Amino acid sequence: MVNSDQARALLAEVGRSVPELEAFFGCMCYAALRPEEVLHLREDEYERPAQPEGWGVLHLTGSTVTVGRDWATGTTRPRIAG
């Protein structure tokens, strides 16, 4: 967990050094998504806000969970919400 100042600093640095990952980390910081949920986001799952400073909505449809060998077989299984 990071506080809001740390999140802004993190995103600013990521934006400078690896801009293509800024949205990835932004989704984790501001939408509290797990990395496997961010990887599955598609543009059609994002409902843009009605006003410029309003809230948007993410409609999550799945994630990929990898289970470690100490816990199971180590396979990757798609998880579908619903």
Side-chain angles (χ1 to χ4, degrees):
M1 292 307 275
V2 297
N3 64 39
S4 58
D5 291 335
Q6 292 169 326
R8 280 191 292 276
L10 169 72
L11 292 175
E13 184 56 36
V14 169
R16 279 191 292 277
S17 57
V18 191
E20 57 272 15
L21 289 179
E22 187 174 6
F24 180 86
F25 284 101
C27 286
M28 290 194 300
C29 289
Y30 293 115
L33 297 182
R34 297 174 297 174
E36 61 269 19
E37 293 168 329
V38 178
L39 288 173
H40 280 268
L41 281 177
R42 298 186 321 256
E43 188 165 349
D44 64 335
E45 296 176 336
Y46 173 49
E47 186 178 326
R48 286 171 170 61
Q51 289 103 22
E53 297 297 320
W55 289 82
V57 177
L58 296 173
H59 301 277
L60 305 178
T61 58
S63 67
T64 299
V65 178
T66 303
V67 179
R69 295 199 187 282
D70 291 341
W71 297 99
T73 61
T75 59
T76 300
R77 302 177 195 156
R79 299 291 303 257
I80 305 299

